[in-house]
Amino acid sequence: MQEHDMTFVRAEMINAQTAPVSERGVLRWLRTNLLSTPLDIVLTVIGVLLVIAFVPPLLNWAFIDAQWTGPDRSVCATIAQGGVQPEGWSGACWAFVNSKFEQFMYGRYSFDERWRVNLVAAIFVLLFIPLLMPNAPYKALNAVLFFFGVPVIAFFLLVGGYFGLPYVPTQQWGGLLVTLVISFVGIAVSLPMGIVLALGRRSKMPIVKMVCVVFIEIVRGVPLVTVLFMASVMLPLFLPAGMTFDRLLRALVGVALFASAYMAEVIRGGLQAIPKGQYEGADSLGLGYWQKMILIVLPQALKLVIPGIVNTFIGLFKDTSLVYIIGMFDLLGIVRQNFSDATWASPQTPMSGLIFAGFVFWIFCFGMSRYSIYMERRLDTGHSR
Amino acid sequence: MKNLVKLLVGAGVLAAASSVASAATLDDVKSRGTLRCGVNTGLAGFASPNNQGQWTGFDVDLCRAVAAAVLGDPDKVNYTPTNATERFTALQSGEIDLLARNTTWTLSRDTKLGFNFAGVNYYDGQGFMINAKNLEGITSALQLSGASVCVQGGTTTELNLADYFRANNMEYNPVVFQALEEVNAAYESGRCDVYTTDQSGLYSIRLQLAAPDDHVVLPEIISKEPLGPAVRQGDDQWLDIVKWTLNAMIIAEELGITQANVEEMANTSTNPEVRRILGKEEGSTLGADLGLPNDWVVNIIKGVGNYGEVFERNIGSGSPLKIARGLNALWSKGGIMYAPPIR
């Protein structure tokens, strides 16, 4: 065995070199993210194949071969189906959505009165956007106007019958209008009512506590479908002849009560997560019950349960579709109802209509979800000690 | 629990029936200025919204005809879309004045539910549709032994199907779905050979198939489904009005009175029958006896047209459905549409 008799000591620093090709840039990203293990490689290949298999036909169907305008079903049907398209054609029938668009938005709301819906929508947006922006001034005034002014204005404008505005019966309402009215009322009622119920359930007063527990458990235990069904099929039989409750009102009451019960449980979760020290601290400062709750406990509790609250809102928004049971037609209901219009019946119509309805629902739900994430981040101050 | 619900419903029906029975629907409609009509929540050709969102269809036109007869204006109708269960409550509770929602006239509905049917505006029946390309040579439902049949669950359709195959000693394989859309999809994808539902429905479903010309509706009709308008029991005057509105439309077709020529015929016709119906005979009180103006038939025909016109416009050759008149042709033309005389 020969010993090394030379030693090598580098006298100066070596120049920094760029990382090997496989360790930087796109290649590195590909290697670590897509191809790092055999399993990853297999999954990546499958994924790429799926994308190739589904995305081009989908884009083709939804955009390139789609029909955007047309008078009736003939533009969305092949010659064999009684239309004008060549054999083997398959594309979205946006012409159906296009020609029914107003109906999807307003339902059967009288033509000449639709400006009233637009006006309400404009007022709503004008007051709602500053309310969402944390930096906008006059928050208190804005909130009062939004939560107390808008419902009153909306009622008089939408229903009519006063100030020379013609009466528009709620049977004629439909589409997105009904979806938004029900979910706005549901959300606006359920949050305060949910807070009250949650506080009541944790109250030390036995009667208050019992009433709240019974309400929450009964409402949570019965499906909304059942309640709406009872309200539309059974209730009219017990009322005196000719006396009927407005269908929209039945839906509003049902949805608001349900959302409140769910909301109460979400908020109770937040209340229980607040450490006992906070309650005792507030007591030791000499605060009364309401001061303690409003100043100390609720701000922290509500912040904690923002995801749960928004979850309930989104669920409520989508639950509005259940009003089809009482013969009202929200966005999804009116889209489905229009499938029965023989002038538009074609193999492509149902899919196109449902995708449109799904897209509109998604826009609203995604908007709510993003805003809640933004608020969570903004309010996330307490735990960074 | 079930019994309790039954009891409650029963009590409710009784209460509703007894309290509503005496009310004069005609006066209510007149003082309200609109007719409240229960229609389907959406059935191609019978009740569906058009591009402007207005209700159109075969049943809708009956509502419009009654409104024209009573109020002189076919547009004075408030439509209440009702589903299969809700329709009966809506009528019993007085939420609607008239139910024109492709409802089959049966004895139990006439008696137990406390309704009166004012006639038949469409003779329907359960039929079969097959894909003729896959099942070549089949021209009759009696050749369908061993077939798998797509059918909507929980309907009389399902029961009729079982009866028919058993009565003819044939085997079949039911493929049952709850929603109509699912049945359509299953039939389209070839999960079953045969689709069965009411014949009028088969024609509208055919429009949504990828290759409608490959599918044929077999000639057999295996059940009687006379569809007609219903009103509450106990108001004979109102029943008469609806009944004779329908009859007047049928008679107008017999006599060749159409939407286009009704004014002219009213003024110039010398045919005593035409003059009598259109209220032009001296001293005739036919309309007044019903509690209507004497030119009630003129209003109906001007508003919606005669029975034939309504049929062709909504479900017949003038519509995408292209349903043949069949049983619904006039008695003089091979059908069974027959109205007692107006005199």
Side-chain angles (χ1 to χ4, degrees), chain B residues 273-302:
Chain B
E273 204 179 349
V274 172
R275 287 179 56 82
R276 191 161 54 236
I277 289 165
L278 297 180
K280 293 292 171 185
E281 279 289 81
E282 283 303 313
S284 161
T285 56
L286 291 172
D289 295 344
L290 273 176
L292 300 177
N294 254 342
D295 59 349
W296 61 291
V297 181
V298 179
N299 288 337
I300 295 173
I301 306 303
K302 240 188 338 192

PDB file of all heavy atoms in Angstrom, chain B residues 273-302:
ATOM      1  N   GLU B 273    -126.590  27.250 -36.856  1.00  0.00           N
ATOM      2  CA  GLU B 273    -125.792  26.673 -35.776  1.00  0.00           C
ATOM      3  C   GLU B 273    -124.627  27.603 -35.425  1.00  0.00           C
ATOM      4  O   GLU B 273    -124.349  27.851 -34.250  1.00  0.00           O
ATOM      5  CB  GLU B 273    -125.269  25.290 -36.204  1.00  0.00           C
ATOM      6  CG  GLU B 273    -124.957  24.414 -35.026  1.00  0.00           C
ATOM      7  CD  GLU B 273    -124.463  23.035 -35.434  1.00  0.00           C
ATOM      8  OE1 GLU B 273    -124.560  22.681 -36.616  1.00  0.00           O
ATOM      9  OE2 GLU B 273    -123.968  22.328 -34.542  1.00  0.00           O
ATOM     10  N   VAL B 274    -123.962  28.115 -36.470  1.00  0.00           N
ATOM     11  CA  VAL B 274    -122.855  29.039 -36.246  1.00  0.00           C
ATOM     12  C   VAL B 274    -123.359  30.286 -35.530  1.00  0.00           C
ATOM     13  O   VAL B 274    -122.762  30.759 -34.554  1.00  0.00           O
ATOM     14  CB  VAL B 274    -122.185  29.410 -37.591  1.00  0.00           C
ATOM     15  CG1 VAL B 274    -121.162  30.509 -37.390  1.00  0.00           C
ATOM     16  CG2 VAL B 274    -121.552  28.191 -38.222  1.00  0.00           C
ATOM     17  N   ARG B 275    -124.496  30.812 -36.012  1.00  0.00           N
ATOM     18  CA  ARG B 275    -125.030  32.040 -35.428  1.00  0.00           C
ATOM     19  C   ARG B 275    -125.392  31.820 -33.957  1.00  0.00           C
ATOM     20  O   ARG B 275    -125.175  32.683 -33.108  1.00  0.00           O
ATOM     21  CB  ARG B 275    -126.265  32.506 -36.219  1.00  0.00           C
ATOM     22  CG  ARG B 275    -125.905  33.085 -37.570  1.00  0.00           C
ATOM     23  CD  ARG B 275    -127.145  33.501 -38.328  1.00  0.00           C
ATOM     24  NE  ARG B 275    -127.983  34.443 -37.584  1.00  0.00           N
ATOM     25  CZ  ARG B 275    -127.743  35.750 -37.547  1.00  0.00           C
ATOM     26  NH1 ARG B 275    -126.719  36.255 -38.195  1.00  0.00           N
ATOM     27  NH2 ARG B 275    -128.532  36.546 -36.864  1.00  0.00           N
ATOM     28  N   ARG B 276    -125.945  30.639 -33.673  1.00  0.00           N
ATOM     29  CA  ARG B 276    -126.352  30.343 -32.300  1.00  0.00           C
ATOM     30  C   ARG B 276    -125.134  30.291 -31.375  1.00  0.00           C
ATOM     31  O   ARG B 276    -125.108  30.882 -30.304  1.00  0.00           O
ATOM     32  CB  ARG B 276    -127.111  29.013 -32.270  1.00  0.00           C
ATOM     33  CG  ARG B 276    -127.811  28.730 -30.969  1.00  0.00           C
ATOM     34  CD  ARG B 276    -128.886  27.680 -31.145  1.00  0.00           C
ATOM     35  NE  ARG B 276    -128.364  26.465 -31.749  1.00  0.00           N
ATOM     36  CZ  ARG B 276    -128.834  25.914 -32.862  1.00  0.00           C
ATOM     37  NH1 ARG B 276    -129.849  26.457 -33.496  1.00  0.00           N
ATOM     38  NH2 ARG B 276    -128.303  24.813 -33.346  1.00  0.00           N
ATOM     39  N   ILE B 277    -124.100  29.595 -31.837  1.00  0.00           N
ATOM     40  CA  ILE B 277    -122.912  29.433 -30.997  1.00  0.00           C
ATOM     41  C   ILE B 277    -122.211  30.763 -30.773  1.00  0.00           C
ATOM     42  O   ILE B 277    -121.751  31.069 -29.673  1.00  0.00           O
ATOM     43  CB  ILE B 277    -121.952  28.407 -31.645  1.00  0.00           C
ATOM     44  CG1 ILE B 277    -122.559  27.018 -31.529  1.00  0.00           C
ATOM     45  CG2 ILE B 277    -120.593  28.450 -31.003  1.00  0.00           C
ATOM     46  CD1 ILE B 277    -121.906  26.014 -32.403  1.00  0.00           C
ATOM     47  N   LEU B 278    -122.170  31.564 -31.833  1.00  0.00           N
ATOM     48  CA  LEU B 278    -121.452  32.835 -31.707  1.00  0.00           C
ATOM     49  C   LEU B 278    -122.323  33.923 -31.090  1.00  0.00           C
ATOM     50  O   LEU B 278    -121.933  35.089 -31.058  1.00  0.00           O
ATOM     51  CB  LEU B 278    -120.925  33.267 -33.074  1.00  0.00           C
ATOM     52  CG  LEU B 278    -119.894  32.299 -33.683  1.00  0.00           C
ATOM     53  CD1 LEU B 278    -119.415  32.806 -35.029  1.00  0.00           C
ATOM     54  CD2 LEU B 278    -118.714  32.087 -32.746  1.00  0.00           C
ATOM     55  N   GLY B 279    -123.516  33.536 -30.614  1.00  0.00           N
ATOM     56  CA  GLY B 279    -124.348  34.481 -29.877  1.00  0.00           C
ATOM     57  C   GLY B 279    -125.043  35.499 -30.748  1.00  0.00           C
ATOM     58  O   GLY B 279    -125.321  36.607 -30.303  1.00  0.00           O
ATOM     59  N   LYS B 280    -125.297  35.135 -32.035  1.00  0.00           N
ATOM     60  CA  LYS B 280    -125.901  36.112 -32.927  1.00  0.00           C
ATOM     61  C   LYS B 280    -127.386  35.850 -33.156  1.00  0.00           C
ATOM     62  O   LYS B 280    -128.056  36.642 -33.823  1.00  0.00           O
ATOM     63  CB  LYS B 280    -125.173  36.091 -34.287  1.00  0.00           C
ATOM     64  CG  LYS B 280    -123.751  36.586 -34.204  1.00  0.00           C
ATOM     65  CD  LYS B 280    -123.692  38.080 -33.879  1.00  0.00           C
ATOM     66  CE  LYS B 280    -122.267  38.484 -33.585  1.00  0.00           C
ATOM     67  NZ  LYS B 280    -122.163  39.888 -33.145  1.00  0.00           N
ATOM     68  N   GLU B 281    -127.896  34.709 -32.675  1.00  0.00           N
ATOM     69  CA  GLU B 281    -129.316  34.432 -32.850  1.00  0.00           C
ATOM     70  C   GLU B 281    -130.134  35.349 -31.945  1.00  0.00           C
ATOM     71  O   GLU B 281    -129.798  35.528 -30.771  1.00  0.00           O
ATOM     72  CB  GLU B 281    -129.624  32.958 -32.474  1.00  0.00           C
ATOM     73  CG  GLU B 281    -129.307  31.936 -33.547  1.00  0.00           C
ATOM     74  CD  GLU B 281    -130.241  31.982 -34.744  1.00  0.00           C
ATOM     75  OE1 GLU B 281    -130.009  32.849 -35.614  1.00  0.00           O
ATOM     76  OE2 GLU B 281    -131.168  31.166 -34.819  1.00  0.00           O
ATOM     77  N   GLU B 282    -131.214  35.885 -32.503  1.00  0.00           N
ATOM     78  CA  GLU B 282    -132.079  36.755 -31.712  1.00  0.00           C
ATOM     79  C   GLU B 282    -132.642  36.002 -30.518  1.00  0.00           C
ATOM     80  O   GLU B 282    -133.057  34.843 -30.642  1.00  0.00           O
ATOM     81  CB  GLU B 282    -133.248  37.258 -32.588  1.00  0.00           C
ATOM     82  CG  GLU B 282    -132.894  38.363 -33.544  1.00  0.00           C
ATOM     83  CD  GLU B 282    -132.314  39.568 -32.830  1.00  0.00           C
ATOM     84  OE1 GLU B 282    -132.898  39.994 -31.811  1.00  0.00           O
ATOM     85  OE2 GLU B 282    -131.251  40.070 -33.265  1.00  0.00           O
ATOM     86  N   GLY B 283    -132.624  36.628 -29.372  1.00  0.00           N
ATOM     87  CA  GLY B 283    -133.278  36.050 -28.204  1.00  0.00           C
ATOM     88  C   GLY B 283    -132.556  34.878 -27.588  1.00  0.00           C
ATOM     89  O   GLY B 283    -133.045  34.254 -26.656  1.00  0.00           O
ATOM     90  N   SER B 284    -131.358  34.542 -28.094  1.00  0.00           N
ATOM     91  CA  SER B 284    -130.623  33.419 -27.520  1.00  0.00           C
ATOM     92  C   SER B 284    -129.980  33.844 -26.207  1.00  0.00           C
ATOM     93  O   SER B 284    -129.392  34.910 -26.101  1.00  0.00           O
ATOM     94  CB  SER B 284    -129.551  32.954 -28.505  1.00  0.00           C
ATOM     95  OG  SER B 284    -128.591  32.213 -27.804  1.00  0.00           O
ATOM     96  N   THR B 285    -130.143  33.008 -25.196  1.00  0.00           N
ATOM     97  CA  THR B 285    -129.556  33.356 -23.897  1.00  0.00           C
ATOM     98  C   THR B 285    -128.537  32.304 -23.464  1.00  0.00           C
ATOM     99  O   THR B 285    -128.299  32.113 -22.285  1.00  0.00           O
ATOM    100  CB  THR B 285    -130.656  33.456 -22.821  1.00  0.00           C
ATOM    101  OG1 THR B 285    -131.355  32.203 -22.805  1.00  0.00           O
ATOM    102  CG2 THR B 285    -131.602  34.575 -23.098  1.00  0.00           C
ATOM    103  N   LEU B 286    -127.936  31.621 -24.463  1.00  0.00           N
ATOM    104  CA  LEU B 286    -127.027  30.520 -24.129  1.00  0.00           C
ATOM    105  C   LEU B 286    -125.883  30.984 -23.238  1.00  0.00           C
ATOM    106  O   LEU B 286    -125.536  30.334 -22.252  1.00  0.00           O
ATOM    107  CB  LEU B 286    -126.478  29.899 -25.410  1.00  0.00           C
ATOM    108  CG  LEU B 286    -127.496  29.128 -26.251  1.00  0.00           C
ATOM    109  CD1 LEU B 286    -126.903  28.733 -27.582  1.00  0.00           C
ATOM    110  CD2 LEU B 286    -127.991  27.914 -25.480  1.00  0.00           C
ATOM    111  N   GLY B 287    -125.279  32.115 -23.598  1.00  0.00           N
ATOM    112  CA  GLY B 287    -124.161  32.622 -22.811  1.00  0.00           C
ATOM    113  C   GLY B 287    -124.616  33.056 -21.430  1.00  0.00           C
ATOM    114  O   GLY B 287    -124.017  32.690 -20.413  1.00  0.00           O
ATOM    115  N   ALA B 288    -125.700  33.815 -21.410  1.00  0.00           N
ATOM    116  CA  ALA B 288    -126.190  34.338 -20.138  1.00  0.00           C
ATOM    117  C   ALA B 288    -126.548  33.212 -19.171  1.00  0.00           C
ATOM    118  O   ALA B 288    -126.350  33.329 -17.959  1.00  0.00           O
ATOM    119  CB  ALA B 288    -127.401  35.239 -20.372  1.00  0.00           C
ATOM    120  N   ASP B 289    -127.059  32.098 -19.720  1.00  0.00           N
ATOM    121  CA  ASP B 289    -127.411  30.973 -18.852  1.00  0.00           C
ATOM    122  C   ASP B 289    -126.183  30.408 -18.144  1.00  0.00           C
ATOM    123  O   ASP B 289    -126.276  29.849 -17.057  1.00  0.00           O
ATOM    124  CB  ASP B 289    -128.077  29.856 -19.668  1.00  0.00           C
ATOM    125  CG  ASP B 289    -129.412  30.318 -20.234  1.00  0.00           C
ATOM    126  OD1 ASP B 289    -129.918  31.345 -19.729  1.00  0.00           O
ATOM    127  OD2 ASP B 289    -129.918  29.681 -21.169  1.00  0.00           O
ATOM    128  N   LEU B 290    -125.034  30.524 -18.798  1.00  0.00           N
ATOM    129  CA  LEU B 290    -123.798  30.053 -18.176  1.00  0.00           C
ATOM    130  C   LEU B 290    -123.241  31.086 -17.197  1.00  0.00           C
ATOM    131  O   LEU B 290    -122.304  30.811 -16.457  1.00  0.00           O
ATOM    132  CB  LEU B 290    -122.734  29.806 -19.256  1.00  0.00           C
ATOM    133  CG  LEU B 290    -122.682  28.451 -19.945  1.00  0.00           C
ATOM    134  CD1 LEU B 290    -121.634  28.494 -21.033  1.00  0.00           C
ATOM    135  CD2 LEU B 290    -122.373  27.343 -18.965  1.00  0.00           C
ATOM    136  N   GLY B 291    -123.789  32.289 -17.259  1.00  0.00           N
ATOM    137  CA  GLY B 291    -123.234  33.372 -16.448  1.00  0.00           C
ATOM    138  C   GLY B 291    -122.150  34.125 -17.194  1.00  0.00           C
ATOM    139  O   GLY B 291    -121.316  34.794 -16.592  1.00  0.00           O
ATOM    140  N   LEU B 292    -122.183  33.995 -18.523  1.00  0.00           N
ATOM    141  CA  LEU B 292    -121.149  34.632 -19.341  1.00  0.00           C
ATOM    142  C   LEU B 292    -121.797  35.587 -20.328  1.00  0.00           C
ATOM    143  O   LEU B 292    -122.992  35.502 -20.579  1.00  0.00           O
ATOM    144  CB  LEU B 292    -120.375  33.554 -20.118  1.00  0.00           C
ATOM    145  CG  LEU B 292    -119.651  32.504 -19.288  1.00  0.00           C
ATOM    146  CD1 LEU B 292    -119.010  31.481 -20.213  1.00  0.00           C
ATOM    147  CD2 LEU B 292    -118.601  33.147 -18.411  1.00  0.00           C
ATOM    148  N   PRO B 293    -121.006  36.480 -20.934  1.00  0.00           N
ATOM    149  CA  PRO B 293    -121.560  37.330 -21.990  1.00  0.00           C
ATOM    150  C   PRO B 293    -121.955  36.475 -23.193  1.00  0.00           C
ATOM    151  O   PRO B 293    -121.443  35.367 -23.377  1.00  0.00           O
ATOM    152  CB  PRO B 293    -120.405  38.271 -22.341  1.00  0.00           C
ATOM    153  CG  PRO B 293    -119.188  37.659 -21.754  1.00  0.00           C
ATOM    154  CD  PRO B 293    -119.632  36.826 -20.610  1.00  0.00           C
ATOM    155  N   ASN B 294    -122.843  36.996 -24.045  1.00  0.00           N
ATOM    156  CA  ASN B 294    -123.362  36.195 -25.147  1.00  0.00           C
ATOM    157  C   ASN B 294    -122.317  35.895 -26.214  1.00  0.00           C
ATOM    158  O   ASN B 294    -122.455  34.939 -26.953  1.00  0.00           O
ATOM    159  CB  ASN B 294    -124.576  36.894 -25.771  1.00  0.00           C
ATOM    160  CG  ASN B 294    -125.860  36.177 -25.370  1.00  0.00           C
ATOM    161  OD1 ASN B 294    -125.812  35.017 -24.933  1.00  0.00           O
ATOM    162  ND2 ASN B 294    -126.983  36.857 -25.518  1.00  0.00           N
ATOM    163  N   ASP B 295    -121.295  36.729 -26.311  1.00  0.00           N
ATOM    164  CA  ASP B 295    -120.274  36.474 -27.330  1.00  0.00           C
ATOM    165  C   ASP B 295    -119.088  35.693 -26.751  1.00  0.00           C
ATOM    166  O   ASP B 295    -117.965  35.806 -27.215  1.00  0.00           O
ATOM    167  CB  ASP B 295    -119.782  37.802 -27.921  1.00  0.00           C
ATOM    168  CG  ASP B 295    -119.194  38.701 -26.858  1.00  0.00           C
ATOM    169  OD1 ASP B 295    -119.356  38.389 -25.652  1.00  0.00           O
ATOM    170  OD2 ASP B 295    -118.561  39.703 -27.218  1.00  0.00           O
ATOM    171  N   TRP B 296    -119.340  34.855 -25.754  1.00  0.00           N
ATOM    172  CA  TRP B 296    -118.246  34.148 -25.088  1.00  0.00           C
ATOM    173  C   TRP B 296    -117.448  33.263 -26.036  1.00  0.00           C
ATOM    174  O   TRP B 296    -116.228  33.218 -25.964  1.00  0.00           O
ATOM    175  CB  TRP B 296    -118.771  33.337 -23.899  1.00  0.00           C
ATOM    176  CG  TRP B 296    -119.785  32.275 -24.255  1.00  0.00           C
ATOM    177  CD1 TRP B 296    -121.055  32.486 -24.693  1.00  0.00           C
ATOM    178  CD2 TRP B 296    -119.604  30.860 -24.204  1.00  0.00           C
ATOM    179  NE1 TRP B 296    -121.683  31.286 -24.915  1.00  0.00           N
ATOM    180  CE2 TRP B 296    -120.823  30.272 -24.617  1.00  0.00           C
ATOM    181  CE3 TRP B 296    -118.564  30.032 -23.843  1.00  0.00           C
ATOM    182  CZ2 TRP B 296    -121.011  28.899 -24.695  1.00  0.00           C
ATOM    183  CZ3 TRP B 296    -118.747  28.653 -23.908  1.00  0.00           C
ATOM    184  CH2 TRP B 296    -119.952  28.103 -24.333  1.00  0.00           C
ATOM    185  N   VAL B 297    -118.138  32.613 -26.985  1.00  0.00           N
ATOM    186  CA  VAL B 297    -117.401  31.735 -27.896  1.00  0.00           C
ATOM    187  C   VAL B 297    -116.531  32.562 -28.835  1.00  0.00           C
ATOM    188  O   VAL B 297    -115.403  32.177 -29.160  1.00  0.00           O
ATOM    189  CB  VAL B 297    -118.370  30.837 -28.679  1.00  0.00           C
ATOM    190  CG1 VAL B 297    -117.597  29.911 -29.595  1.00  0.00           C
ATOM    191  CG2 VAL B 297    -119.219  30.023 -27.724  1.00  0.00           C
ATOM    192  N   VAL B 298    -117.048  33.725 -29.255  1.00  0.00           N
ATOM    193  CA  VAL B 298    -116.231  34.603 -30.102  1.00  0.00           C
ATOM    194  C   VAL B 298    -114.936  34.945 -29.367  1.00  0.00           C
ATOM    195  O   VAL B 298    -113.837  34.892 -29.931  1.00  0.00           O
ATOM    196  CB  VAL B 298    -117.018  35.892 -30.449  1.00  0.00           C
ATOM    197  CG1 VAL B 298    -116.166  36.811 -31.296  1.00  0.00           C
ATOM    198  CG2 VAL B 298    -118.310  35.538 -31.163  1.00  0.00           C
ATOM    199  N   ASN B 299    -115.061  35.272 -28.084  1.00  0.00           N
ATOM    200  CA  ASN B 299    -113.867  35.621 -27.303  1.00  0.00           C
ATOM    201  C   ASN B 299    -112.886  34.452 -27.225  1.00  0.00           C
ATOM    202  O   ASN B 299    -111.676  34.638 -27.333  1.00  0.00           O
ATOM    203  CB  ASN B 299    -114.271  36.041 -25.889  1.00  0.00           C
ATOM    204  CG  ASN B 299    -114.945  37.397 -25.872  1.00  0.00           C
ATOM    205  OD1 ASN B 299    -114.744  38.192 -26.792  1.00  0.00           O
ATOM    206  ND2 ASN B 299    -115.754  37.641 -24.859  1.00  0.00           N
ATOM    207  N   ILE B 300    -113.422  33.251 -27.010  1.00  0.00           N
ATOM    208  CA  ILE B 300    -112.539  32.080 -26.900  1.00  0.00           C
ATOM    209  C   ILE B 300    -111.773  31.886 -28.198  1.00  0.00           C
ATOM    210  O   ILE B 300    -110.546  31.759 -28.208  1.00  0.00           O
ATOM    211  CB  ILE B 300    -113.365  30.802 -26.590  1.00  0.00           C
ATOM    212  CG1 ILE B 300    -114.028  30.906 -25.224  1.00  0.00           C
ATOM    213  CG2 ILE B 300    -112.481  29.569 -26.670  1.00  0.00           C
ATOM    214  CD1 ILE B 300    -114.986  29.759 -24.941  1.00  0.00           C
ATOM    215  N   ILE B 301    -112.523  31.862 -29.305  1.00  0.00           N
ATOM    216  CA  ILE B 301    -111.879  31.543 -30.579  1.00  0.00           C
ATOM    217  C   ILE B 301    -110.928  32.662 -30.981  1.00  0.00           C
ATOM    218  O   ILE B 301    -109.841  32.414 -31.509  1.00  0.00           O
ATOM    219  CB  ILE B 301    -112.943  31.286 -31.673  1.00  0.00           C
ATOM    220  CG1 ILE B 301    -113.926  30.206 -31.210  1.00  0.00           C
ATOM    221  CG2 ILE B 301    -112.278  30.850 -32.967  1.00  0.00           C
ATOM    222  CD1 ILE B 301    -113.307  28.884 -30.844  1.00  0.00           C
ATOM    223  N   LYS B 302    -111.332  33.909 -30.723  1.00  0.00           N
ATOM    224  CA  LYS B 302    -110.433  35.023 -31.040  1.00  0.00           C
ATOM    225  C   LYS B 302    -109.160  34.929 -30.190  1.00  0.00           C
ATOM    226  O   LYS B 302    -108.062  35.220 -30.635  1.00  0.00           O
ATOM    227  CB  LYS B 302    -111.139  36.362 -30.786  1.00  0.00           C
ATOM    228  CG  LYS B 302    -111.220  37.188 -32.012  1.00  0.00           C
ATOM    229  CD  LYS B 302    -111.724  38.609 -31.821  1.00  0.00           C
ATOM    230  CE  LYS B 302    -112.542  38.913 -30.604  1.00  0.00           C
ATOM    231  NZ  LYS B 302    -113.203  40.214 -30.671  1.00  0.00           N
TER     232      LYS B 302
END
